[in-house]
Every structure is written in C-alpha cells, then in structure tokens.
Amino acid sequence: MFESILNEDDRGQVGIGTLIVFIAMVLVAAIAAGVLINTAGFLQSQAEATGQESTDLVSDRIEVVSSTGIVGNASTGDLSSINITVTTAPGASDIDLNETVIQAVGPQGESTLTLASDGNASGAEFGINGLSDSSNAVLNSENDEFTITIDPTSSAFGNGTVGSGEAFGEGDDATLDIISPASATTQVELNSPSLYNTDGEAVRL
C-alpha cells in the first residue's frame, strides 16, 4: 500500500495533469478578460456616440425669432410672402440650411419644403431673403440670423396666384416643423389675422 502512495512515477503524472488544468484555466481567464475588455470598449464607444447624438438633438436646433406675412392683396386677403426669421439655439454648432427641411401642414394639405438652390421661394422650395447662393446658407456666428421665405400660393399653403383669393391669407393657419441636420425639430404655428388693411403691410403670423 505504501509503495503505491510513494511511487514517484504516479506523483509525476498527477503533477502534469494539475499543471495542464492550471494552464487551461489561465487561458480561459485570459480569453474571457479579452472579451470583456473588447465589449467594454465597444459599449463605451457606443455610449459616447449615443451621448453625442442626444446632445446634438437638443443643442443643434433652429430657433424662430419671428414670423410675419407680407400682404399681397388686401381686398382678396392674400399674402405675397411668408417670412420666418431663424437663428441657432444657444450652444449649437453650425447649421446648414441646405440639409434642413420644413414639413408643413396647411389649408392645402401637407408638403415637405427644401431650400432652393437660387435662394428664391417657389412651390415646394423655401428661399432665404437676400441670399442668391444656397452654398452660403449656414447659420453660425458670422450669419447669426436668416429670414426664410415661403411661397403662400402653392404646396400646403395655397392653390392660386396672389389676388385670386386662393393663396394663404386672412384667417388661415399652418403648422411648420423645421428639422435641422441633426434631426432636432422646431415647431412653428402660423396664424394669419382675419382682416388685412393695405397692400404691402407686414402682419404678424
């Protein structure tokens, strides 16, 4: 009995087996640690990206300073232009109006407006007052305000020429969702007065 316990060959075999098990455990632990480190790094990157997107969604937003209409024909109650002055929200990055869309709901239904390349409002394209080249339509510290112009005679707003009584005008209302490139949305309610006095006057919407 004592010979089997003290047999050197048997003791060596037990030691090798234990060493193999130990090495296997170390390898498994190292692989698991590597997977955990990679997963943690991926989750951190994803969290940072999500946080940046959330920040942009809140801060990279367009703010509306004022909204007015220019009376085109007081007798028929039509506007010749809808003007919306916009700026950036505090802390916002540069906002390219070329990548900004306006979703409008008005008397003639729904439409999506994009910036006209020549800066002139027409149909389903909005313009920018005093700007003939849309490549310069970026809201930043140098261009802290722009006046967006919208055609009241077409798309969601009207169905006719100024003076026909079918353009956006007296007593009409519309809702605009101005969506920045970061997908931040600013909603604007346009409510036109029920009576115009003279051609060319500016009315608050």
Side-chain angles (χ1 to χ4, degrees):
M1 180 176 74
F2 291 104
E3 288 181 0
S4 62
I5 295 175
L6 300 176
N7 190 304
E8 295 295 334
D9 293 336
D10 290 344
R11 291 180 64 189
Q13 290 176 359
V14 172
I16 291 173
T18 303
L19 181 61
I20 291 172
V21 172
F22 175 74
I23 293 173
M25 292 176 62
V26 171
L27 289 174
V28 171
I31 293 171
V35 171
L36 288 174
I37 291 172
N38 289 337
T39 302
F42 172 74
L43 291 176
Q44 181 181 4
S45 300
Q46 195 172 46
E48 290 176 353
T50 302
Q52 185 62 48
E53 290 176 0
S54 299
T55 300
D56 292 344
L57 192 61
V58 173
S59 63
D60 287 356
R61 185 172 54 83
I62 294 173
E63 282 194 352
V64 174
V65 177
S66 64
S67 55
T68 58
I70 304 301
V71 176
N73 191 311
S75 60
T76 58
D78 294 338
L79 294 178
S80 61
S81 179
I82 297 171
N83 301 328
I84 301 170
T85 302
V86 297
T87 187
T88 57
S93 305
D94 293 354
I95 297 178
D96 189 351
L97 295 183
N98 289 283
E99 300 178 18
T100 298
V101 298
I102 300 176
Q103 294 180 343
V105 179
Q108 296 297 321
E110 302 179 10
S111 61
T112 299
L113 311 180
T114 56
L115 178 60
S117 59
D118 60 0
N120 295 317
S122 177
E125 293 183 319
F126 65 87
I128 296 179
N129 191 31
L131 190 69
S132 59
D133 184 0
S134 64
S135 63
N136 297 321
V138 179
L139 278 170
N140 50 33
S141 57
E142 295 179 0
N143 303 311
D144 58 349
E145 282 189 2
F146 279 127
T147 298
I148 291 174
T149 59
I150 295 174
D151 181 8
T153 66
S154 59
S155 64
F157 302 94
N159 185 24
T161 60
V162 176
S164 66
E166 299 297 328
F168 187 90
E170 288 179 343
D172 289 335
D173 55 72
T175 300
L176 309 180
D177 286 332
I178 305 175
I179 305 173
S180 73
S183 298
T185 302
T186 301
Q187 190 171 89
V188 185
E189 297 287 342
L190 302 180
N191 298 290
S192 181
S194 57
L195 182 64
Y196 301 153
N197 295 317
T198 58
D199 295 353
E201 70 172 324
V203 293
R204 186 181 298 276
L205 299 179

